[in-house]
Amino acid sequence: MQEISRRTVLVGAATAAVTLTVPAPTAHAMPTENTRNEESAPGSCETMGSTEACVEVRQIQDVCGIQYTIKNHGDAPRTYSVSCLDVDGGPNPGTVTVSVEAGESVSDYFYGDLLHCFTLQVCPVSAGKEMTGPRTSGKEADVTCMTLGPVCAESSSDW
């Protein structure tokens, strides 16, 4: 039986260490460009007077990201109360107050459980008072709230 030299053992050990520390190429690389389509990110939009509000959901790692966007097409700043409700009985993501300058838009997220559906209620806030009730048609002063959704978060096999 032939003996293995010390040099051969060290070269073999070094090769094995390098092989173990270099990461293998990723088989499922994420695209660098946003390739959103309506099936992968369901959404809902409503318009009320000079306000346009949209909501869409997508999986963000192990939670559902509920993104809302409020656009103020009017000529004065507006403040809104935005509430998110889990219609499947999970914990409600919450309520926030959002100010939007004239001609601007604001986007932000709520987070909820995967495989759940959510509704979003957007209500104008006037003189420190939150307006509530169902949406009515007519002049902006007569309008109370918009209800968006339900939008549902689907689990993705990409994770």
Side-chain angles (χ1 to χ4, degrees):
M1 190 160 166
Q2 185 182 18
E3 288 187 39
I4 300 175
S5 72
R6 180 181 169 153
R7 181 171 181 236
T8 304
V9 170
L10 290 175
V11 169
T15 303
V18 169
T19 301
L20 292 174
T21 59
V22 175
T26 306
H28 299 286
M30 298 297 287
T32 56
E33 184 179 311
N34 184 2
T35 57
R36 179 185 172 272
N37 65 38
E38 293 305 315
E39 292 174 7
S40 64
S44 173
C45 291
E46 290 282 332
T47 301
M48 173 177 70
S50 63
T51 302
E52 179 183 357
C54 293
V55 62
E56 63 181 1
V57 295
R58 65 175 50 107
Q59 180 176 343
I60 301 174
Q61 293 186 1
D62 61 347
V63 297
C64 170
I66 307 136
Q67 181 182 25
Y68 64 89
T69 301
I70 301 172
K71 297 177 184 175
N72 178 2
H73 297 291
D75 55 3
R78 301 286 309 252
T79 301
Y80 305 92
S81 172
V82 183
S83 301
C84 187
L85 175 68
D86 185 331
V87 297
D88 292 320
N92 289 325
T95 301
V96 296
T97 301
V98 177
S99 295
V100 185
E101 295 296 320
E104 299 290 322
S105 65
V106 171
S107 290
D108 206 351
Y109 282 89
F110 288 106
Y111 298 96
D113 293 331
L114 290 174
L115 302 174
H116 282 227
C117 294
F118 303 89
T119 59
L120 208 70
Q121 188 170 42
V122 179
C123 302
V125 176
S126 175
K129 265 187 163 178
E130 183 177 327
M131 300 169 73
T132 59
R135 178 179 175 199
T136 60
S137 59
K139 294 182 235 164
E140 191 158 313
D142 298 331
V143 177
T144 54
C145 296
M146 289 184 280
T147 300
L148 300 146
V151 291
C152 301
E154 308 235 349
S155 181
S156 172
S157 60
D158 292 342
W159 296 100

